[in-house]
PDB file of all heavy atoms in Angstrom:
ATOM      1  N   LEU H  49      69.944  64.790  38.727  1.00 98.00           N
ATOM      2  CA  LEU H  49      69.115  65.122  37.568  1.00 98.00           C
ATOM      3  C   LEU H  49      67.739  64.533  37.839  1.00 98.00           C
ATOM      4  O   LEU H  49      67.566  63.316  37.845  1.00 98.00           O
ATOM      5  CB  LEU H  49      69.718  64.526  36.290  1.00 98.00           C
ATOM      6  CG  LEU H  49      71.233  64.661  36.106  1.00 98.00           C
ATOM      7  CD1 LEU H  49      71.665  64.051  34.771  1.00 98.00           C
ATOM      8  CD2 LEU H  49      71.672  66.114  36.203  1.00 98.00           C
ATOM      9  N   ALA H  96      61.198  62.975  27.542  1.00 98.00           N
ATOM     10  CA  ALA H  96      62.439  62.781  28.296  1.00 98.00           C
ATOM     11  C   ALA H  96      63.632  62.672  27.362  1.00 98.00           C
ATOM     12  O   ALA H  96      64.694  63.259  27.611  1.00 98.00           O
ATOM     13  CB  ALA H  96      62.333  61.534  29.182  1.00 98.00           C
ATOM     14  N   LEU H  97      63.481  61.909  26.265  1.00 98.00           N
ATOM     15  CA  LEU H  97      64.587  61.746  25.324  1.00 98.00           C
ATOM     16  C   LEU H  97      64.983  63.081  24.704  1.00 98.00           C
ATOM     17  O   LEU H  97      66.177  63.423  24.632  1.00 98.00           O
ATOM     18  CB  LEU H  97      64.210  60.741  24.233  1.00 98.00           C
ATOM     19  CG  LEU H  97      65.285  60.461  23.180  1.00 98.00           C
ATOM     20  CD1 LEU H  97      66.568  59.949  23.827  1.00 98.00           C
ATOM     21  CD2 LEU H  97      64.772  59.456  22.150  1.00 98.00           C
ATOM     22  N   ASP H  98      64.018  63.848  24.256  1.00 98.00           N
ATOM     23  CA  ASP H  98      64.323  65.135  23.648  1.00 98.00           C
ATOM     24  C   ASP H  98      64.947  66.096  24.659  1.00 98.00           C
ATOM     25  O   ASP H  98      65.932  66.790  24.350  1.00 98.00           O
ATOM     26  CB  ASP H  98      63.043  65.746  23.070  1.00 98.00           C
ATOM     27  CG  ASP H  98      63.310  67.026  22.307  1.00 98.00           C
ATOM     28  OD1 ASP H  98      64.044  66.981  21.303  1.00 98.00           O
ATOM     29  OD2 ASP H  98      62.790  68.079  22.724  1.00 98.00           O
ATOM     30  N   SER H  99      64.408  66.113  25.866  1.00 98.00           N
ATOM     31  CA  SER H  99      64.893  67.052  26.885  1.00 98.00           C
ATOM     32  C   SER H  99      66.298  66.693  27.363  1.00 98.00           C
ATOM     33  O   SER H  99      67.162  67.570  27.512  1.00 98.00           O
ATOM     34  CB  SER H  99      63.923  67.088  28.072  1.00 98.00           C
ATOM     35  OG  SER H  99      62.646  67.533  27.679  1.00 98.00           O
ATOM     36  N   PHE H 100      66.549  65.402  27.604  1.00 98.00           N
ATOM     37  CA  PHE H 100      67.879  65.004  28.058  1.00 98.00           C
ATOM     38  C   PHE H 100      68.898  65.075  26.918  1.00 98.00           C
ATOM     39  O   PHE H 100      70.083  65.314  27.163  1.00 98.00           O
ATOM     40  CB  PHE H 100      67.840  63.610  28.676  1.00 98.00           C
ATOM     41  CG  PHE H 100      67.433  63.618  30.119  1.00 98.00           C
ATOM     42  CD1 PHE H 100      66.122  63.343  30.499  1.00 98.00           C
ATOM     43  CD2 PHE H 100      68.350  63.926  31.115  1.00 98.00           C
ATOM     44  CE1 PHE H 100      65.742  63.373  31.831  1.00 98.00           C
ATOM     45  CE2 PHE H 100      67.978  63.957  32.456  1.00 98.00           C
ATOM     46  CZ  PHE H 100      66.671  63.678  32.811  1.00 98.00           C
ATOM     47  N   ALA H 101      68.454  64.870  25.679  1.00 98.00           N
ATOM     48  CA  ALA H 101      69.356  65.064  24.543  1.00 98.00           C
ATOM     49  C   ALA H 101      69.856  66.505  24.517  1.00 98.00           C
ATOM     50  O   ALA H 101      71.049  66.769  24.298  1.00 98.00           O
ATOM     51  CB  ALA H 101      68.643  64.712  23.248  1.00 98.00           C
ATOM     52  N   ASP H 102      68.952  67.438  24.723  1.00 98.00           N
ATOM     53  CA  ASP H 102      69.334  68.846  24.760  1.00 98.00           C
ATOM     54  C   ASP H 102      70.246  69.135  25.954  1.00 98.00           C
ATOM     55  O   ASP H 102      71.274  69.812  25.826  1.00 98.00           O
ATOM     56  CB  ASP H 102      68.071  69.711  24.833  1.00 98.00           C
ATOM     57  CG  ASP H 102      68.387  71.196  24.829  1.00 98.00           C
ATOM     58  OD1 ASP H 102      68.931  71.682  23.824  1.00 98.00           O
ATOM     59  OD2 ASP H 102      68.109  71.858  25.841  1.00 98.00           O
ATOM     60  N   TYR H 103      69.896  68.588  27.109  1.00 98.00           N
ATOM     61  CA  TYR H 103      70.684  68.838  28.326  1.00 98.00           C
ATOM     62  C   TYR H 103      72.105  68.303  28.183  1.00 98.00           C
ATOM     63  O   TYR H 103      73.082  69.007  28.475  1.00 98.00           O
ATOM     64  CB  TYR H 103      69.976  68.203  29.526  1.00 98.00           C
ATOM     65  CG  TYR H 103      70.767  68.310  30.809  1.00 98.00           C
ATOM     66  CD1 TYR H 103      70.858  69.527  31.496  1.00 98.00           C
ATOM     67  CD2 TYR H 103      71.418  67.208  31.343  1.00 98.00           C
ATOM     68  CE1 TYR H 103      71.593  69.633  32.666  1.00 98.00           C
ATOM     69  CE2 TYR H 103      72.145  67.307  32.516  1.00 98.00           C
ATOM     70  CZ  TYR H 103      72.233  68.516  33.177  1.00 98.00           C
ATOM     71  OH  TYR H 103      72.957  68.628  34.338  1.00 98.00           O
ATOM     72  N   PHE H 104      72.250  67.058  27.710  1.00 98.00           N
ATOM     73  CA  PHE H 104      73.578  66.449  27.611  1.00 98.00           C
ATOM     74  C   PHE H 104      74.398  67.031  26.454  1.00 98.00           C
ATOM     75  O   PHE H 104      75.616  66.851  26.407  1.00 98.00           O
ATOM     76  CB  PHE H 104      73.467  64.935  27.461  1.00 98.00           C
ATOM     77  CG  PHE H 104      73.034  64.220  28.713  1.00 98.00           C
ATOM     78  CD1 PHE H 104      72.072  63.209  28.665  1.00 98.00           C
ATOM     79  CD2 PHE H 104      73.581  64.537  29.943  1.00 98.00           C
ATOM     80  CE1 PHE H 104      71.667  62.548  29.816  1.00 98.00           C
ATOM     81  CE2 PHE H 104      73.178  63.887  31.106  1.00 98.00           C
ATOM     82  CZ  PHE H 104      72.221  62.886  31.039  1.00 98.00           C
ATOM     83  N   SER H 105      73.758  67.716  25.523  1.00 98.00           N
ATOM     84  CA  SER H 105      74.522  68.397  24.472  1.00 98.00           C
ATOM     85  C   SER H 105      75.219  69.636  25.016  1.00 98.00           C
ATOM     86  O   SER H 105      76.174  70.141  24.410  1.00 98.00           O
ATOM     87  CB  SER H 105      73.596  68.785  23.310  1.00 98.00           C
ATOM     88  OG  SER H 105      72.726  69.853  23.681  1.00 98.00           O
ATOM     89  N   LYS H 106      74.757  70.097  26.177  1.00 97.00           N
ATOM     90  CA  LYS H 106      75.310  71.314  26.780  1.00 97.00           C
ATOM     91  C   LYS H 106      76.069  71.042  28.074  1.00 97.00           C
ATOM     92  O   LYS H 106      76.884  71.873  28.501  1.00 97.00           O
ATOM     93  CB  LYS H 106      74.171  72.305  27.075  1.00 97.00           C
ATOM     94  CG  LYS H 106      73.359  72.708  25.846  1.00 97.00           C
ATOM     95  CD  LYS H 106      72.130  73.506  26.237  1.00 97.00           C
ATOM     96  CE  LYS H 106      71.269  73.842  25.028  1.00 97.00           C
ATOM     97  NZ  LYS H 106      70.009  74.523  25.409  1.00 97.00           N
ATOM     98  N   THR H 107      75.786  69.910  28.712  1.00 97.00           N
ATOM     99  CA  THR H 107      76.379  69.599  30.008  1.00 97.00           C
ATOM    100  C   THR H 107      76.900  68.177  29.996  1.00 97.00           C
ATOM    101  O   THR H 107      76.138  67.235  29.757  1.00 97.00           O
ATOM    102  CB  THR H 107      75.331  69.735  31.141  1.00 97.00           C
ATOM    103  OG1 THR H 107      74.690  71.005  31.044  1.00 97.00           O
ATOM    104  CG2 THR H 107      75.994  69.584  32.504  1.00 97.00           C
ATOM    105  N   SER H 108      78.185  68.007  30.253  1.00 95.00           N
ATOM    106  CA  SER H 108      78.776  66.672  30.243  1.00 95.00           C
ATOM    107  C   SER H 108      79.214  66.274  31.656  1.00 95.00           C
ATOM    108  O   SER H 108      79.361  67.136  32.541  1.00 95.00           O
ATOM    109  CB  SER H 108      79.982  66.624  29.294  1.00 95.00           C
ATOM    110  OG  SER H 108      80.434  65.293  29.140  1.00 95.00           O
ATOM    111  N   TYR H 109      79.386  64.984  31.849  1.00 97.00           N
ATOM    112  CA  TYR H 109      79.802  64.440  33.138  1.00 97.00           C
ATOM    113  C   TYR H 109      80.870  63.374  32.929  1.00 97.00           C
ATOM    114  O   TYR H 109      80.919  62.718  31.877  1.00 97.00           O
ATOM    115  CB  TYR H 109      78.598  63.838  33.885  1.00 97.00           C
ATOM    116  CG  TYR H 109      77.615  64.867  34.369  1.00 97.00           C
ATOM    117  CD1 TYR H 109      76.513  65.224  33.594  1.00 97.00           C
ATOM    118  CD2 TYR H 109      77.807  65.507  35.584  1.00 97.00           C
ATOM    119  CE1 TYR H 109      75.615  66.183  34.030  1.00 97.00           C
ATOM    120  CE2 TYR H 109      76.917  66.477  36.024  1.00 97.00           C
ATOM    121  CZ  TYR H 109      75.820  66.803  35.249  1.00 97.00           C
ATOM    122  OH  TYR H 109      74.945  67.767  35.682  1.00 97.00           O
ATOM    123  N   ASP H 110      81.714  63.201  33.924  1.00 97.00           N
ATOM    124  CA  ASP H 110      82.699  62.124  33.883  1.00 97.00           C
ATOM    125  C   ASP H 110      82.011  60.766  34.042  1.00 97.00           C
ATOM    126  O   ASP H 110      82.488  59.761  33.521  1.00 97.00           O
ATOM    127  CB  ASP H 110      83.732  62.293  35.012  1.00 97.00           C
ATOM    128  CG  ASP H 110      84.516  63.581  34.873  1.00 97.00           C
ATOM    129  OD1 ASP H 110      84.888  63.927  33.732  1.00 97.00           O
ATOM    130  OD2 ASP H 110      84.744  64.256  35.901  1.00 97.00           O
ATOM    131  N   LEU H 111      80.872  60.765  34.740  1.00 98.00           N
ATOM    132  CA  LEU H 111      80.139  59.520  34.975  1.00 98.00           C
ATOM    133  C   LEU H 111      78.687  59.858  35.277  1.00 98.00           C
ATOM    134  O   LEU H 111      78.405  60.776  36.041  1.00 98.00           O
ATOM    135  CB  LEU H 111      80.751  58.753  36.155  1.00 98.00           C
ATOM    136  CG  LEU H 111      80.276  57.319  36.396  1.00 98.00           C
ATOM    137  CD1 LEU H 111      80.752  56.398  35.271  1.00 98.00           C
ATOM    138  CD2 LEU H 111      80.779  56.799  37.745  1.00 98.00           C
ATOM    139  N   LEU H 112      77.775  59.103  34.665  1.00 98.00           N
ATOM    140  CA  LEU H 112      76.342  59.225  34.957  1.00 98.00           C
ATOM    141  C   LEU H 112      75.883  57.924  35.599  1.00 98.00           C
ATOM    142  O   LEU H 112      76.118  56.840  35.055  1.00 98.00           O
ATOM    143  CB  LEU H 112      75.550  59.472  33.678  1.00 98.00           C
ATOM    144  CG  LEU H 112      74.027  59.399  33.800  1.00 98.00           C
ATOM    145  CD1 LEU H 112      73.491  60.531  34.668  1.00 98.00           C
ATOM    146  CD2 LEU H 112      73.356  59.410  32.425  1.00 98.00           C
ATOM    147  N   ILE H 114      72.851  55.499  36.836  1.00 98.00           N
ATOM    148  CA  ILE H 114      71.439  55.172  36.636  1.00 98.00           C
ATOM    149  C   ILE H 114      71.135  53.897  37.407  1.00 98.00           C
ATOM    150  O   ILE H 114      71.887  52.924  37.329  1.00 98.00           O
ATOM    151  CB  ILE H 114      71.109  54.968  35.147  1.00 98.00           C
ATOM    152  CG1 ILE H 114      71.266  56.279  34.381  1.00 98.00           C
ATOM    153  CG2 ILE H 114      69.692  54.417  34.957  1.00 98.00           C
ATOM    154  CD1 ILE H 114      71.046  56.150  32.885  1.00 98.00           C
ATOM    155  N   LEU H 122      65.299  54.920  30.584  1.00 98.00           N
ATOM    156  CA  LEU H 122      65.767  54.441  29.284  1.00 98.00           C
ATOM    157  C   LEU H 122      66.143  55.605  28.358  1.00 98.00           C
ATOM    158  O   LEU H 122      67.243  55.599  27.774  1.00 98.00           O
ATOM    159  CB  LEU H 122      64.715  53.543  28.642  1.00 98.00           C
ATOM    160  CG  LEU H 122      65.083  52.946  27.279  1.00 98.00           C
ATOM    161  CD1 LEU H 122      66.347  52.109  27.357  1.00 98.00           C
ATOM    162  CD2 LEU H 122      63.926  52.099  26.731  1.00 98.00           C
ATOM    163  N   PRO H 123      65.299  56.626  28.190  1.00 98.00           N
ATOM    164  CA  PRO H 123      65.720  57.754  27.356  1.00 98.00           C
ATOM    165  C   PRO H 123      66.916  58.510  27.917  1.00 98.00           C
ATOM    166  O   PRO H 123      67.711  59.061  27.150  1.00 98.00           O
ATOM    167  CB  PRO H 123      64.475  58.643  27.290  1.00 98.00           C
ATOM    168  CG  PRO H 123      63.577  58.193  28.381  1.00 98.00           C
ATOM    169  CD  PRO H 123      63.879  56.753  28.610  1.00 98.00           C
ATOM    170  N   VAL H 124      67.068  58.542  29.235  1.00 98.00           N
ATOM    171  CA  VAL H 124      68.254  59.176  29.827  1.00 98.00           C
ATOM    172  C   VAL H 124      69.512  58.428  29.398  1.00 98.00           C
ATOM    173  O   VAL H 124      70.517  59.030  28.997  1.00 98.00           O
ATOM    174  CB  VAL H 124      68.152  59.219  31.364  1.00 98.00           C
ATOM    175  CG1 VAL H 124      69.412  59.839  31.962  1.00 98.00           C
ATOM    176  CG2 VAL H 124      66.923  59.995  31.808  1.00 98.00           C
ATOM    177  N   ALA H 125      69.453  57.090  29.465  1.00 98.00           N
ATOM    178  CA  ALA H 125      70.604  56.273  29.074  1.00 98.00           C
ATOM    179  C   ALA H 125      70.920  56.436  27.594  1.00 98.00           C
ATOM    180  O   ALA H 125      72.092  56.517  27.198  1.00 98.00           O
ATOM    181  CB  ALA H 125      70.329  54.805  29.407  1.00 98.00           C
ATOM    182  N   VAL H 126      69.889  56.489  26.760  1.00 98.00           N
ATOM    183  CA  VAL H 126      70.096  56.663  25.316  1.00 98.00           C
ATOM    184  C   VAL H 126      70.786  58.000  25.040  1.00 98.00           C
ATOM    185  O   VAL H 126      71.786  58.074  24.312  1.00 98.00           O
ATOM    186  CB  VAL H 126      68.755  56.586  24.559  1.00 98.00           C
ATOM    187  CG1 VAL H 126      68.937  56.986  23.099  1.00 98.00           C
ATOM    188  CG2 VAL H 126      68.171  55.181  24.648  1.00 98.00           C
ATOM    189  N   ALA H 127      70.268  59.064  25.630  1.00 98.00           N
ATOM    190  CA  ALA H 127      70.820  60.395  25.386  1.00 98.00           C
ATOM    191  C   ALA H 127      72.258  60.495  25.865  1.00 98.00           C
ATOM    192  O   ALA H 127      73.124  61.060  25.178  1.00 98.00           O
ATOM    193  CB  ALA H 127      69.949  61.451  26.069  1.00 98.00           C
ATOM    194  N   ALA H 128      72.541  59.957  27.040  1.00 98.00           N
ATOM    195  CA  ALA H 128      73.904  60.006  27.572  1.00 98.00           C
ATOM    196  C   ALA H 128      74.861  59.187  26.719  1.00 98.00           C
ATOM    197  O   ALA H 128      75.986  59.629  26.415  1.00 98.00           O
ATOM    198  CB  ALA H 128      73.914  59.498  29.009  1.00 98.00           C
ATOM    199  N   SER H 129      74.434  57.994  26.314  1.00 96.00           N
ATOM    200  CA  SER H 129      75.298  57.126  25.518  1.00 96.00           C
ATOM    201  C   SER H 129      75.640  57.766  24.175  1.00 96.00           C
ATOM    202  O   SER H 129      76.779  57.679  23.702  1.00 96.00           O
ATOM    203  CB  SER H 129      74.630  55.771  25.303  1.00 96.00           C
ATOM    204  OG  SER H 129      74.388  55.122  26.528  1.00 96.00           O
ATOM    205  N   MET H 130      74.660  58.394  23.552  1.00 96.00           N
ATOM    206  CA  MET H 130      74.899  59.046  22.267  1.00 96.00           C
ATOM    207  C   MET H 130      75.891  60.202  22.413  1.00 96.00           C
ATOM    208  O   MET H 130      76.623  60.529  21.471  1.00 96.00           O
ATOM    209  CB  MET H 130      73.579  59.548  21.679  1.00 96.00           C
ATOM    210  CG  MET H 130      72.613  58.449  21.275  1.00 96.00           C
ATOM    211  SD  MET H 130      73.144  57.525  19.823  1.00 96.00           S
ATOM    212  CE  MET H 130      72.797  58.715  18.522  1.00 96.00           C
ATOM    213  N   GLN H 131      75.932  60.812  23.597  1.00 96.00           N
ATOM    214  CA  GLN H 131      76.869  61.904  23.851  1.00 96.00           C
ATOM    215  C   GLN H 131      78.172  61.401  24.483  1.00 96.00           C
ATOM    216  O   GLN H 131      78.987  62.206  24.928  1.00 96.00           O
ATOM    217  CB  GLN H 131      76.221  62.956  24.761  1.00 96.00           C
ATOM    218  CG  GLN H 131      75.063  63.704  24.140  1.00 96.00           C
ATOM    219  CD  GLN H 131      75.507  64.618  23.004  1.00 96.00           C
ATOM    220  OE1 GLN H 131      76.686  64.831  22.779  1.00 96.00           O
ATOM    221  NE2 GLN H 131      74.529  65.154  22.268  1.00 96.00           N
ATOM    222  N   ARG H 132      78.346  60.085  24.512  1.00 95.00           N
ATOM    223  CA  ARG H 132      79.560  59.425  25.018  1.00 95.00           C
ATOM    224  C   ARG H 132      79.838  59.788  26.474  1.00 95.00           C
ATOM    225  O   ARG H 132      80.995  59.939  26.884  1.00 95.00           O
ATOM    226  CB  ARG H 132      80.762  59.764  24.137  1.00 95.00           C
ATOM    227  CG  ARG H 132      80.598  59.307  22.684  1.00 95.00           C
ATOM    228  CD  ARG H 132      81.914  59.315  21.946  1.00 95.00           C
ATOM    229  NE  ARG H 132      82.814  58.312  22.495  1.00 95.00           N
ATOM    230  CZ  ARG H 132      84.110  58.202  22.167  1.00 95.00           C
ATOM    231  NH1 ARG H 132      84.651  59.069  21.315  1.00 95.00           N
ATOM    232  NH2 ARG H 132      84.859  57.274  22.708  1.00 95.00           N
ATOM    233  N   ILE H 133      78.787  59.899  27.263  1.00 96.00           N
ATOM    234  CA  ILE H 133      78.927  60.049  28.708  1.00 96.00           C
ATOM    235  C   ILE H 133      78.916  58.644  29.307  1.00 96.00           C
ATOM    236  O   ILE H 133      77.935  57.909  29.139  1.00 96.00           O
ATOM    237  CB  ILE H 133      77.789  60.899  29.300  1.00 96.00           C
ATOM    238  CG1 ILE H 133      77.843  62.321  28.731  1.00 96.00           C
ATOM    239  CG2 ILE H 133      77.868  60.928  30.823  1.00 96.00           C
ATOM    240  CD1 ILE H 133      76.654  63.187  29.118  1.00 96.00           C
ATOM    241  N   PRO H 134      79.967  58.215  30.004  1.00 97.00           N
ATOM    242  CA  PRO H 134      80.004  56.863  30.567  1.00 97.00           C
ATOM    243  C   PRO H 134      78.896  56.666  31.603  1.00 97.00           C
ATOM    244  O   PRO H 134      78.665  57.531  32.457  1.00 97.00           O
ATOM    245  CB  PRO H 134      81.389  56.775  31.221  1.00 97.00           C
ATOM    246  CG  PRO H 134      82.192  57.872  30.591  1.00 97.00           C
ATOM    247  CD  PRO H 134      81.218  58.957  30.267  1.00 97.00           C
ATOM    248  N   VAL H 135      78.225  55.531  31.507  1.00 98.00           N
ATOM    249  CA  VAL H 135      77.111  55.223  32.414  1.00 98.00           C
ATOM    250  C   VAL H 135      77.507  54.089  33.354  1.00 98.00           C
ATOM    251  O   VAL H 135      78.043  53.062  32.927  1.00 98.00           O
ATOM    252  CB  VAL H 135      75.853  54.828  31.618  1.00 98.00           C
ATOM    253  CG1 VAL H 135      74.718  54.415  32.565  1.00 98.00           C
ATOM    254  CG2 VAL H 135      75.395  55.976  30.724  1.00 98.00           C
ATOM    255  N   MET H 159      73.830  49.789  27.319  1.00 97.00           N
ATOM    256  CA  MET H 159      74.305  51.147  27.078  1.00 97.00           C
ATOM    257  C   MET H 159      75.265  51.621  28.155  1.00 97.00           C
ATOM    258  O   MET H 159      75.756  52.752  28.099  1.00 97.00           O
ATOM    259  CB  MET H 159      73.108  52.099  26.976  1.00 97.00           C
ATOM    260  CG  MET H 159      72.348  51.949  25.667  1.00 97.00           C
ATOM    261  SD  MET H 159      70.957  53.083  25.523  1.00 97.00           S
ATOM    262  CE  MET H 159      69.701  52.183  26.430  1.00 97.00           C
ATOM    263  N   SER H 160      75.540  50.771  29.134  1.00 98.00           N
ATOM    264  CA  SER H 160      76.353  51.157  30.281  1.00 98.00           C
ATOM    265  C   SER H 160      77.750  50.561  30.191  1.00 98.00           C
ATOM    266  O   SER H 160      77.949  49.471  29.647  1.00 98.00           O
ATOM    267  CB  SER H 160      75.675  50.698  31.580  1.00 98.00           C
ATOM    268  OG  SER H 160      74.382  51.267  31.694  1.00 98.00           O
ATOM    269  N   LEU H 161      78.705  51.280  30.769  1.00 97.00           N
ATOM    270  CA  LEU H 161      80.092  50.843  30.733  1.00 97.00           C
ATOM    271  C   LEU H 161      80.480  50.077  31.990  1.00 97.00           C
ATOM    272  O   LEU H 161      81.286  49.147  31.940  1.00 97.00           O
ATOM    273  CB  LEU H 161      81.007  52.059  30.562  1.00 97.00           C
ATOM    274  CG  LEU H 161      82.487  51.803  30.285  1.00 97.00           C
ATOM    275  CD1 LEU H 161      82.675  50.933  29.050  1.00 97.00           C
ATOM    276  CD2 LEU H 161      83.224  53.134  30.127  1.00 97.00           C
ATOM    277  N   LEU H 383      88.306  54.126  34.289  1.00 91.00           N
ATOM    278  CA  LEU H 383      87.626  54.929  33.275  1.00 91.00           C
ATOM    279  C   LEU H 383      88.553  55.461  32.186  1.00 91.00           C
ATOM    280  O   LEU H 383      88.208  55.407  30.999  1.00 91.00           O
ATOM    281  CB  LEU H 383      86.869  56.079  33.946  1.00 91.00           C
ATOM    282  CG  LEU H 383      85.879  56.847  33.072  1.00 91.00           C
ATOM    283  CD1 LEU H 383      84.816  55.921  32.498  1.00 91.00           C
ATOM    284  CD2 LEU H 383      85.232  57.965  33.871  1.00 91.00           C
ATOM    285  N   THR H 387      87.530  54.601  28.229  1.00 75.00           N
ATOM    286  CA  THR H 387      86.938  55.650  27.397  1.00 75.00           C
ATOM    287  C   THR H 387      87.786  55.964  26.171  1.00 75.00           C
ATOM    288  O   THR H 387      87.357  56.706  25.291  1.00 75.00           O
ATOM    289  CB  THR H 387      86.728  56.941  28.209  1.00 75.00           C
ATOM    290  OG1 THR H 387      87.954  57.300  28.852  1.00 75.00           O
ATOM    291  CG2 THR H 387      85.647  56.754  29.245  1.00 75.00           C
TER     292      THR H 387
END
Side-chain angles (χ1 to χ4, degrees):
L49 316 181
L97 181 58
D98 185 62
S99 298
F100 276 98
D102 182 64
Y103 175 75
F104 288 136
S105 71
K106 301 171 183 175
T107 309
S108 188
Y109 290 93
D110 298 319
L111 190 69
L112 171 66
I114 294 176
L122 181 59
V124 178
V126 171
S129 299
M130 293 289 285
Q131 293 292 351
R132 299 195 66 189
I133 297 173
V135 176
M159 286 181 277
S160 301
L161 189 56
L383 192 58
T387 52

